[in-house]
Amino acid sequence: GIELDFELVWLMEDLLSQANDVFLAHQYSNAIKKYSQILNDDYKLSDSQRIVILCNRAEAQFRMELFRKCLHDCDTALHLDPSTARAIILKGRALCHLSKQAEAVSLWNTHIKTIQDVHFVEIVARLIQDTQNESSPSLSTLESVSVLQAENKKLIQEIQNLKAELTVVTYQLNSMQHHTSTPATSSSSSSFSSSSSS
C-alpha cells in the first residue's frame, strides 16, 4: 500500500545516506554491506537507481582490491544499461589489476562510442592511452569520489521526488476518505482507481 511504499522510500534514503557517508570515510567494507542491503531488500528500485548503487558497491570493492566482485557488479550494471560510464571505467580498471590489460583496452575502445558524457569520454581516452603506454592506469581518488557524489545527488533527488509524490497521493486518499459519506465511498474510490490506472 501507500504507507508501505512511503516507509520503504524513507528507509532507502536513510540507508543510502549512511552508505555514502561510510564510503567517503574510507570504511569500504561497511559501505559494501549497506549498498548490499539496499540491493537485496525489496526497495522496488528502478534500473537507473540499481545501476548507481551497483557502481557504488563496485567502487568500494575496487578500493578493497576485490576485483572479481567489482567485475561482477560492473557486468550487472552494464547488463541493465550497456552505456553506463562508471561501470565501463571500473570494469576496465579491475581487469588491469587482474593483468588483463588487452581486455581492458578492448572494452574501453568498444564502449567509448556509447558514452554520452564528454567528461567520461576524456577519462576513458586517458585510461586507454596510459594502459597502451604500459603505465599504470590511474583515476584520482578525488575524481572517483566527485563522480560518486554527483550520481548519488541525482539518486537522492529522485528518492525525494518519489517521497513528494507519495505525500500527495496519501493526502488525496485521506481527503477523499474524509469528505465522502459512506454510501458514496465505493463509487469515489473506484473512480480514483480508474483514473490512477489510466
Side-chain angles (χ1 to χ4, degrees), residues 63-109:
R63 302 287 179 87
M64 291 190 71
E65 300 186 3
L66 301 171
F67 301 122
R68 294 190 188 283
K69 288 186 176 182
C70 173
L71 283 177
H72 182 267
D73 276 353
C74 290
D75 283 335
T76 306
L78 290 169
H79 178 73
L80 294 171
D81 181 0
S83 66
T84 305
R86 274 181 76 201
I88 294 164
I89 291 166
L90 273 169
K91 181 177 179 180
R93 293 175 70 212
L95 286 169
C96 286
H97 281 275
L98 293 168
S99 301
K100 297 181 178 180
Q101 284 84 352
E103 196 176 331
V105 170
S106 174
L107 170 84
W108 289 327
N109 276 322

Side-chain angles (χ1 to χ4, degrees), residues 12 35-36 38-57 73 76-77 80 155 158:
M12 182 171 72
Y35 290 133
S36 298
I38 298 171
L39 289 165
N40 296 336
D41 290 354
D42 186 20
Y43 284 111
K44 301 177 183 175
L45 298 170
S46 67
D47 282 354
S48 63
Q49 291 170 339
R50 188 169 293 278
I51 286 167
V52 171
I53 295 164
L54 279 165
C55 287
N56 288 358
R57 187 170 70 176
D73 276 353
T76 306
L80 294 171
L155 178 52
E158 274 185 39

Side-chain angles (χ1 to χ4, degrees), residues 130-148:
D130 286 351
T131 305
Q132 287 175 331
N133 292 340
E134 295 185 0
S135 60
S136 177
S138 62
L139 184 65
S140 73
T141 301
L142 187 61
E143 199 163 37
S144 298
V145 168
S146 70
V147 168
L148 178 133

